[in-house]
Amino acid sequence: MSEKEMEVSESQIAVHWQEEDYYYPSEEFIAQANVTDKSIYDRFSLENFPDCFTEYADLLDWDEKWHTILDTSDAPLWKWFVGGKLNVSYNCIDRHLAKNKNKTALHFVPDSEDERIQHITYQELYTRVNEVAAVLRDFCGLKAGDRVTLHLPMTAELPITMLACARLGIIHSVVFGGFSPSACADRAVDSQSRVLFTIDGYYRGGRWIDHKKNADEAYEISRKEGHEIEKILVWERHSGEYKSSSPLKENRDYSMNEVLKNYRRVKVDPVSMPAEAPLFLMYTSGTTGKPKGCQHSTGGYLSYAAGTSKYIQDIHPEDVYWCMADIGWITGHSYIVYGPLSICASSVVYEGIPNYPDAGRCWRIAEELDINIFHTAPTVIRALRKIGPDEPAKYNYNFKHMTTVGEPIEPAVWKWYYETIGKGKAVIVDTWWQTETGGFLCTTLPGISPMKPGSAGPGAPGIHPFVLDEDGKEIMPGEGKAGNICIKNPWPGAFQTVWGNRERYIESYYGQYCKDRNSKDWRDWPYLAGDAAVVASDGYFRILGRIDDVINVSGHRLGTKEIESAALNVQELAEAAVVPVAHEVKGKEPDLYVSLKPGFEASDDLAKRVSEQVCNDIGKIARPRKVWIVPDMPKTRSGKIMRRVLGAISNFGDVGNVMTLANPEIVDEIKKMVQGDDDVTPVT
Ligand code: WT7
């Protein structure tokens, strides 16, 4: 590499990708959309910041109005709607009763099709949340500001318990049900939760999963870490029929079914909370080290969840809305529970998995409930495309609106989502955001903006993203260079801090680009999201993946997603994952792992065609070192492909602990394929 080339910083290097054509929302969609007036972008311009966000706050009922919209005195710990008071459970339930008490708030769809769907009305939700709040207050002695850990799967008891906490200002920390006891314990310890909620068990893919034993283990691990959980409250999947093999321990474990008998029809007044009081913690992994407890606020968070649910999810009173995420992640918090319920929607809670008992399950649910808004992740779309490409056409459902979230979506997969699941009628919003951000950051407005496959779109109203190079210089739209996507301004949905770790909050998200740490001006504190992105001349952002997902081949920056996306243009492929392999001259080379749709066989010829496709779409620079056709990808229980594991295999490194994967057995199979059967001993 010449010296001149060396001077070029990483984010200056061109990204090779093709612009896709626009798709336009239908007249029919626009005619009913909640927002069709383009002036919304003017209302939410930086000139009108921060006042613009009162438009979202005004969607809520406040007990006391705020005196300061944005307080920056403790920058970058932003405070929104200061002086305002409200209660989240009141806003999600009580205020809807006068007109909508008979409306379904939650449709609980059990794993088994033999168990009927439960339709929980707002009135019933009100009764149940009040009773649980009474248990929290009177049986557990909890009060506003205390933390409670909820290690619960996707049953109605999860949102009910969350809303009961919110009724009292208790800070909930939901741990994804599929997480291990030690993950649960770490979070309970970090948040110092005295109370842990669990359930005897639940169903997933036709299997009964005994869950209570996880709480027993989490309790022991917490104790070893010096934290005593005082009470474990145990829901029952079938109320009154305790089914776990692990017994209730006296004076520690309590059956909710029994405890609730003493609190029938008890009402608990919602506690009026300051807008700035924490509502919940949601732990997320950082680049290294222990998970960060992202602390979300009451007033700002709910305002942002409500506003984006109304304008971007386009939820109307008559809609049936299904977000097939897990409430154990931020998507479920914001877009199954808080956003939809705050605007009086009917929201689906699905216990099961997309492919059980077969690939038509989602579409039968959509047909039965007459769902018209659907929200899922690319990983699910790819899986459904792989296992049931012809299923959607067999069912009579009608989506008007679909969301994709969580990772970049390859244009080929986007188009299949649009044509086959959306039947060529539903709009798609590709929503880019993070656990930290509370709600959407980049997305199109469905009734206004055209869609562009593979692009998340412009900033959401009031969100002003830009792309910076390593030195903090802005990369302008259309320059065709990748850099770090940052947000210029604070917004109400943003997390307040990392629980108990102010330094980590400031360093991780503001450390790189803040020029003056003493500044109280928000303009000096761009938010670093940790993703690489390119902004096209139309202002649409294409997210390339985490900063550490970018592969630098001979000084050329290649998004792993770009290569995967190119590979997926080969018809036979279902999934693709690229990992960097160390190369002594090029620095890094991409190794490409792919899995096939059913009915196709692996062959050298196919591998060659995949490799050629990548070269054709991106350039020879992106030629994979090798195309590995694998039977399946190693995946987390939430369905994300574990590129880290593939990377370790490709680099003959340590795959680490893979037992928490959904399919740990695949790791050895891939290892044999890539590394051969022989033990590899490092040359000394
Ligand atoms: C990371 C955040 C968003 C809530 C669920 C995941 C990636 C998220 C998109 C998208 C491309 C996306 C980013 C981000 N990501 N949405 N639409 N297009 N990438 O939350 O676990 O905190 O993950 O997911 O890399 O930083 P999370």
Side-chain angles (χ1 to χ4, degrees):
M1 203 186 274
S2 75
E3 252 179 65
K4 188 153 187 302
E5 273 172 305
M6 297 276 284
E7 280 167 21
V8 179
S9 79
E10 283 195 8
S11 53
Q12 293 287 305
I13 295 163
V15 171
H16 316 265
W17 62 288
Q18 242 182 308
E19 284 283 326
E20 292 284 330
D21 291 335
Y22 286 133
Y23 285 60
Y24 292 88
S26 68
E27 291 302 322
E28 200 186 340
F29 181 83
I30 296 170
Q32 61 80 62
N34 276 333
V35 49
T36 51
D37 180 357
K38 286 189 177 143
S39 71
I40 185 167
Y41 285 112
D42 300 329
R43 294 206 304 279
F44 281 82
S45 69
L46 274 181
E47 287 73 58
N48 296 327
F49 178 86
D51 306 43
C52 54
F53 282 114
T54 58
E55 190 168 331
Y56 287 175
D58 286 340
L59 295 171
L60 306 179
D61 284 2
W62 294 76
D63 304 328
E64 270 172 51
K65 205 176 150 93
W66 55 89
H67 52 69
T68 307
I69 297 169
L70 173 63
D71 173 355
T72 65
S73 60
D74 192 25
L77 283 77
W78 318 113
K79 296 187 180 64
W80 282 90
F81 307 121
V82 182
K85 285 185 141 189
L86 76 168
N87 180 274
V88 167
S89 133
Y90 177 87
N91 270 282
C92 290
I93 308 169
D94 305 37
R95 68 168 179 153
H96 305 318
L97 296 179
K99 288 196 182 129
N100 285 299
K101 59 174 163 294
N102 292 324
K103 177 175 177 171
T104 298
L106 298 171
H107 295 281
F108 169 60
V109 182
D111 181 68
S112 164
E113 289 187 296
D114 294 334
E115 193 179 337
R116 293 225 67 97
I117 295 176
Q118 290 171 29
H119 310 278
I120 300 170
T121 62
Y122 274 96
Q123 182 68 29
E124 187 178 348
L125 185 62
Y126 172 73
T127 304
R128 294 190 61 182
V129 166
N130 271 280
E131 290 175 357
V132 177
V135 171
L136 291 168
R137 185 188 61 189
D138 301 338
F139 182 71
C140 302
L142 293 165
K143 57 176 189 327
D146 291 341
R147 279 82 56 206
V148 169
T149 295
L150 279 50
H151 193 201
L152 292 170
M154 285 289 284
T155 69
E157 284 70 23
L158 174 50
I160 287 169
T161 312
M162 289 160 70
L163 288 159
C165 290
R167 199 164 186 82
L168 294 163
I170 294 165
I171 303 167
H172 60 69
S173 165
V174 178
V175 178
F176 171 57
F179 268 156
S180 65
S182 73
C184 174
D186 290 347
R187 287 156 176 77
V189 173
D190 189 72
S191 62
Q192 296 285 296
S193 297
R194 283 160 45 209
V195 171
L196 170 66
F197 274 86
T198 187
I199 191 166
D200 58 344
Y202 57 100
Y203 299 97
R204 214 174 142 76
R207 284 190 307 136
W208 167 255
I209 298 180
D210 195 329
H211 188 61
K212 160 66 167 57
K213 63 180 187 331
N214 294 325
D216 298 338
E217 275 186 59
Y219 172 85
E220 293 303 335
I221 300 168
S222 301
R223 239 162 84 115
K224 285 196 194 102
E225 292 180 22
H227 174 72
E228 174 106 16
I229 294 168
E230 287 168 23
K231 284 190 170 67
I232 298 178
L233 298 186
V234 189
W235 286 107
E236 282 157 19
R237 173 62 178 78
H238 300 281
S239 200
E241 299 168 38
Y242 185 75
K243 280 197 178 164
S244 170
S245 57
S246 133
L248 296 182
K249 196 170 163 204
E250 220 174 316
N251 293 325
R252 187 196 73 181
D253 301 348
Y254 302 90
S255 153
M256 279 299 280
N257 187 57
E258 290 302 312
V259 177
L260 278 168
K261 287 180 181 161
N262 301 320
Y263 297 92
R264 287 279 174 255
R265 292 177 309 283
V266 174
K267 297 291 176 287
V268 174
D269 284 339
V271 176
S272 193
M273 296 300 294
E276 271 308 292
L279 175 63
F280 66 85
L281 305 179
M282 166 63 52
Y283 284 83
T284 190
S285 315
T287 35
T288 50
K290 66 171 192 167
K292 305 178 262 203
C294 294
Q295 177 185 317
H296 282 279
S297 74
T298 298
Y301 171 81
L302 195 67
S303 300
Y304 199 68
T308 49
S309 293
K310 181 164 180 181
Y311 289 160
I312 294 159
Q313 295 295 292
D314 200 54
I315 300 175
H316 294 60
E318 64 276 21
D319 293 331
V320 184
Y321 169 84
W322 182 14
C323 171
M324 197 177 25
D326 196 293
I327 298 173
W329 310 118
I330 191 72
T331 305
H333 277 49
S334 299
Y335 297 112
I336 297 177
V337 182
Y338 289 121
L341 296 185
S342 69
I343 58 168
C344 197
S346 296
S347 184
V348 174
V349 173
Y350 176 43
E351 181 181 32
I353 54 178
N355 59 349
Y356 175 79
D358 56 64
R361 180 67 192 279
C362 294
W363 321 126
R364 289 197 289 279
I365 294 170
E367 190 180 273
E368 178 168 353
L369 293 176
D370 201 13
I371 287 160
N372 61 346
I373 306 181
F374 183 66
H375 186 152
T376 192
T379 178
V380 172
I381 304 167
R382 284 186 219 110
L384 292 170
R385 179 170 173 253
K386 178 175 175 180
I387 60 171
D390 304 323
E391 290 301 309
K394 296 182 191 161
Y395 296 94
N396 182 22
Y397 66 84
N398 280 295
F399 292 158
K400 68 165 184 175
H401 183 296
M402 305 190 300
T403 300
T404 169
V405 62
E407 41 173 340
I409 183 165
E410 303 81 356
V413 176
W414 190 101
K415 288 174 194 166
W416 186 80
Y417 193 27
Y418 184 81
E419 296 296 345
T420 307
I421 296 185
K423 303 183 177 177
K425 288 186 295 197
V427 295
I428 296 181
V429 290
D430 180 342
T431 58
W432 168 72
W433 58 298
Q434 311 174 294
T435 303
E436 293 88 336
T437 72
F440 306 141
L441 292 181
C442 280
T443 169
T444 49
L445 270 170
I448 293 181
S449 353
M451 306 157 249
K452 193 159 69 173
S455 279
I463 304 292
H464 300 277
F466 62 151
V467 180
L468 298 180
D469 69 14
E470 291 301 318
D471 307 320
K473 190 170 159 289
E474 182 169 359
I475 296 171
M476 301 312 290
E479 266 191 64
K481 289 171 188 160
N484 296 330
I485 185 166
C486 296
I487 313 296
K488 286 181 187 165
N489 58 298
W491 64 99
F495 70 140
Q496 302 174 293
T497 186
V498 173
W499 177 256
N501 201 338
R502 185 189 165 100
E503 271 319 297
R504 191 169 181 195
Y505 167 78
I506 298 174
E507 278 315 315
S508 311
Y509 302 95
Y510 300 97
Q512 187 169 351
Y513 292 122
C514 177
K515 294 195 187 82
D516 174 9
R517 297 275 176 119
N518 295 317
S519 172
K520 305 293 176 209
D521 185 343
W522 56 263
R523 290 169 195 81
D524 291 323
W525 296 92
Y527 169 83
L528 173 77
D531 281 319
V534 187
V535 54
S537 47
D538 57 6
Y540 278 42
F541 291 83
R542 176 153 159 148
I543 309 299
L544 301 171
R546 298 295 303 182
I547 293 172
D548 38 16
D549 276 346
V550 169
I551 304 184
N552 197 328
V553 186
S554 305
H556 290 261
R557 201 177 230 240
L558 297 168
T560 49
K561 276 288 152 189
E562 287 181 276
I563 302 174
E564 291 163 12
S565 182
L568 283 169
N569 286 325
V570 175
Q571 273 308 308
E572 290 92 331
L573 299 201
E575 291 179 305
V578 167
V579 295
V581 187
H583 184 277
E584 54 177 348
V585 179
K586 300 178 181 176
K588 293 275 194 297
E589 260 193 325
D591 227 2
L592 176 55
Y593 288 83
V594 300
S595 69
L596 305 183
K597 290 181 199 157
F600 292 110
E601 295 285 342
S603 70
D604 288 347
D605 173 61
L606 178 56
K608 209 170 143 213
R609 276 198 289 124
V610 173
S611 188
E612 262 154 24
Q613 181 85 39
V614 173
C615 293
N616 279 343
D617 285 15
I618 302 173
K620 290 212 172 66
I621 183 77
R623 184 191 293 282
R625 175 183 80 130
K626 174 98 187 158
V627 177
W628 304 104
I629 304 177
V630 297
D632 202 355
M633 299 284 185
K635 285 193 185 140
T636 63
R637 296 198 193 159
S638 64
K640 284 202 179 175
I641 299 175
M642 284 299 282
R643 290 179 176 73
R644 183 183 59 72
V645 171
L646 295 172
I649 295 174
S650 281
N651 290 290
F652 287 77
D654 181 8
V655 295
N657 181 4
V658 294
M659 292 322 289
T660 54
L661 296 187
N663 53 352
E665 69 289 346
I666 203 76
V667 176
D668 272 338
E669 236 179 291
I670 300 178
K671 216 168 163 178
K672 271 191 196 130
M673 173 187 283
V674 176
Q675 304 182 346
D677 277 328
D678 302 337
D679 271 351
V680 183
T681 17
V683 185
T684 46

